[in-house]
Structures are given as C-alpha cells and as structure tokens.
Amino acid sequence: MARDAYVNGRFVPHAQAAVHVEDRGFQFADGVYEVVCIRRGALIDEDGHLDRLGRSLQELRIAWPCERRVLRLLMRRLLERNGVRDGLIYLQVTRGAAPRDFRFPAAARPTLVMTTRRAALAPHGRTGVRVITIPDIR
C-alpha cells in the first residue's frame, strides 16, 4: 500500500512531501508537534493532544492551520489512506514560510504536515506500567 503524507491542504506521496525552504519550522524551529498513538483505528487521547496543540499554538501566537473539527477529519482520512490501525500519527504546525528574519512575519500562513507510521504498541492492560517522572525544563 502506498504511503501518503498531508502537507498544507493536500495528500501527497510520502516521498514527495516537502515544505518551502524558508518555512520557519525549518529555519528557526518555530512550530509545535504532537504525536498521537493509534490503537485498533482509534486515536488515543485525541482531545488531550488537540488541547495541548491548541495551548502550544496560542503560547507561540501561531494560528491553527485549520479548524479543529477539520483537523480531526484530516487525521482520520490520512489513517484511512495509509491503512494504519496500530501506530502513530505525527502532526507538525509551523508559523509558515516567510523571508528569513527573526521578527514574526505578519502575513505568513501556518504550515501543517501530518505523517503516519505503523507500529506495534506495547500492551498496557489493566495493571498499567511503572513510571518515574522528572521535571522537564523546556
């Protein structure tokens, strides 16, 4: 089965997916990402991931690339196109392409890139897993 990516309004073959060389995500790491686990075709904690994406975009003053409900539909469509039932979906939103300058561009449109990957996810069952947490100073 062919593997597609979603880039700025279009589903494209994964090998041909590209963003502009002056995309601020590429130039300045000016963007955010989310990774959502997929189990049996279901997006795990989808609302939590989209809530965090929204908070991150707001903090960086980057506009949503599309309405939240549209993003949800696009995510499902990409999973369908790629036949992913168990795996991951990666979302990256950047401030968009603009001439290289440290000031935020006034007219840039956000870039949205989504890709998927099949992966066997570890079972977690009813007993859960042991974890430790440490502060993340980012």
Side-chain angles (χ1 to χ4, degrees):
M1 172 178 277
R3 184 174 179 207
D4 288 339
Y6 179 88
V7 181
N8 291 333
R10 295 181 37 220
F11 293 98
V12 296
H14 189 268
Q16 296 173 19
V19 296
H20 192 281
V21 70
E22 287 190 321
D23 188 278
R24 290 185 56 93
F26 178 70
Q27 296 283 335
F28 297 110
D30 189 7
V32 298
Y33 74 93
E34 279 294 326
V35 180
V36 182
C37 290
I38 312 303
R39 189 178 297 272
R40 293 186 288 272
L43 287 87
I44 306 302
D45 195 25
E46 178 182 11
D47 287 329
H49 286 285
L50 294 180
D51 289 347
R52 182 171 51 223
L53 176 65
R55 281 191 310 275
S56 298
L57 292 172
Q58 183 177 353
E59 289 295 321
L60 294 176
R61 296 182 302 198
I62 297 174
W64 278 82
C66 59
E67 292 181 30
R68 183 176 171 135
R69 67 176 180 78
V70 172
L71 183 56
R72 292 168 72 108
L73 292 171
L74 291 171
M75 291 166 65
R76 283 169 176 72
R77 182 67 183 123
L78 185 60
L79 292 174
E80 275 178 30
R81 291 176 74 99
N82 290 333
V84 175
R85 301 257 319 130
D86 293 294
L88 305 166
I89 185 165
Y90 295 90
L91 296 87
Q92 294 179 308
V93 181
T94 72
R95 195 172 307 278
R100 187 178 172 97
D101 192 340
F102 289 107
R103 293 174 295 190
F104 289 173
R109 291 181 41 202
T111 292
L112 171 61
V113 175
M114 292 190 295
T115 58
T116 62
R117 180 168 60 95
R118 286 185 184 90
L121 304 177
H124 55 278
R126 293 182 185 266
T127 59
V129 295
R130 291 179 187 216
V131 300
I132 58 170
T133 62
I134 58 172
D136 184 347
I137 60 171
R138 287 181 284 173

